[in-house]
Amino acid sequence: SQQGEEDPQALSIQEGENATMNCSYKTSINNLQWYRQNSGRGLVHLILIRSNEREKHSGRLRVTLDTSKKSSSLLITASRAADTASYFCATQVDYKLSFGAGTTVTVRA
Amino acid sequence: DAGVIQSPRHEVTEMGQEVTLRCKPISGHNSLFWYRQTMMRGLELLIYFNNNVPIDDSGMPEDRFSAKMPNASFSTLKIQPSEPRDSAVYFCASSRGQSNTEAFFGQGTRLTVV
């Protein structure tokens, strides 16, 4: 069963704009991870945030985690055409990594 | 490192045939996952191995599905007999450790059962 649910399902933005997507989950977790999937390819890990962390940055990515609300957000700043992809949040409890349905992001040139 | 390697990339087979998907995890990784991705159900965890031992196979849909990991560098997922509803993209992923580590995914095997 899917633990995380992303919102929105789809997002279309202009190059240079910021993209924000959210993830909500149901149970306590060890960590939350974000992955990117380009069409027809495997998933690529972007960032991992542990349950005792509130915010993490990696390049143009910013992730927040609010364990009291059981939610996370991924912000991509200054988007590029190459950021066009599906983005998935994944919650980890022990070894089990459970994925949401994903947000499809289209960056228009 | 070449990453997680899956073969074949594409497989088209007739209903009732046996299908074997293969995975070579990243060297040094001791956790291996098999996932199935469909439009309807998203990414589903089928089975998890740690140190070559199946730990959780609760996601394996039916007895028609079986998975093995004979050594640290090879795993197979077998479907026998295959059915059209098994059509999906199957991913193998590996990670170092059991928790709080990132998973590295292969490119997937797109299976079509006609």
Side-chain angles (χ1 to χ4, degrees):
Chain A
S1 63
Q2 292 177 1
Q3 157 81 298
E5 290 187 11
E6 287 94 339
D7 171 60
Q9 287 187 327
L11 186 58
S12 180
I13 55 174
Q14 201 74 29
E15 204 166 25
E17 292 180 339
N18 295 342
T20 301
M21 58 211 86
N22 303 295
C23 172
S24 59
Y25 58 93
K26 298 184 178 72
T27 66
S28 295
I29 59 174
N30 295 121
N31 65 71
L32 187 143
Q33 304 180 31
W34 286 90
Y35 288 78
R36 184 187 74 228
Q37 184 179 34
N38 291 90
S39 182
R41 309 294 295 273
L43 282 79
V44 174
H45 182 266
L46 296 175
I47 199 162
L48 180 155
I49 186 164
R50 298 185 183 220
S51 60
N52 61 354
E53 297 176 312
R54 293 295 166 258
E55 188 171 314
K56 211 161 182 183
H57 297 253
S58 177
R60 294 183 296 112
L61 306 180
R62 173 179 170 253
V63 168
T64 62
L65 179 65
D66 186 335
T67 52
S68 66
K69 294 181 180 178
K70 292 187 170 57
S71 68
S72 173
S73 68
L74 170 66
L75 167 68
I76 306 173
T77 61
S79 62
R80 306 167 181 168
D83 295 328
T84 294
S86 292
Y87 292 82
F88 295 87
C89 71
T91 53
Q92 189 163 42
V93 179
D94 296 326
Y95 60 83
K96 198 158 193 171
L97 197 57
S98 303
F99 288 83
T103 294
T104 300
V105 175
T106 303
V107 181
R108 305 186 306 273
Chain B
D1 200 322
V4 176
I5 299 172
Q6 291 186 247
S7 65
R9 288 294 311 277
H10 302 272
E11 175 83 32
V12 180
T13 192
E14 290 187 346
M15 182 174 64
Q17 295 297 306
E18 177 180 297
V19 175
T20 299
L21 311 182
R22 296 173 175 79
C23 174
K24 177 177 166 53
I26 293 173
S27 177
H29 285 189
N30 62 352
S31 287
L32 185 137
F33 306 82
W34 281 99
Y35 284 89
R36 177 172 67 177
Q37 185 177 36
T38 60
M39 289 293 291
M40 289 295 292
R41 299 174 68 88
L43 275 154
E44 302 173 278
L45 176 63
L46 299 178
I47 188 167
Y48 167 71
F49 290 88
N50 184 251
N51 292 324
N52 313 337
V53 176
I55 303 299
D56 182 354
D57 65 354
S58 60
M60 296 285 262
E62 298 170 35
D63 291 345
R64 298 184 297 106
F65 286 69
S66 63
K68 293 182 180 179
M69 192 163 185
N71 56 63
S73 58
F74 185 63
S75 177
T76 59
L77 178 68
K78 186 179 293 186
I79 309 172
Q80 165 63 19
S82 57
E83 295 183 4
R85 60 194 167 117
D86 302 331
S87 297
V89 182
Y90 291 81
F91 288 103
C92 174
S94 70
S95 67
R96 191 187 305 274
Q98 280 196 272
S99 186
N100 286 324
T101 62
E102 63 183 286
F104 292 80
F105 279 74
Q107 292 299 300
T109 295
R110 181 173 295 276
L111 173 65
T112 304
V113 183
V114 298

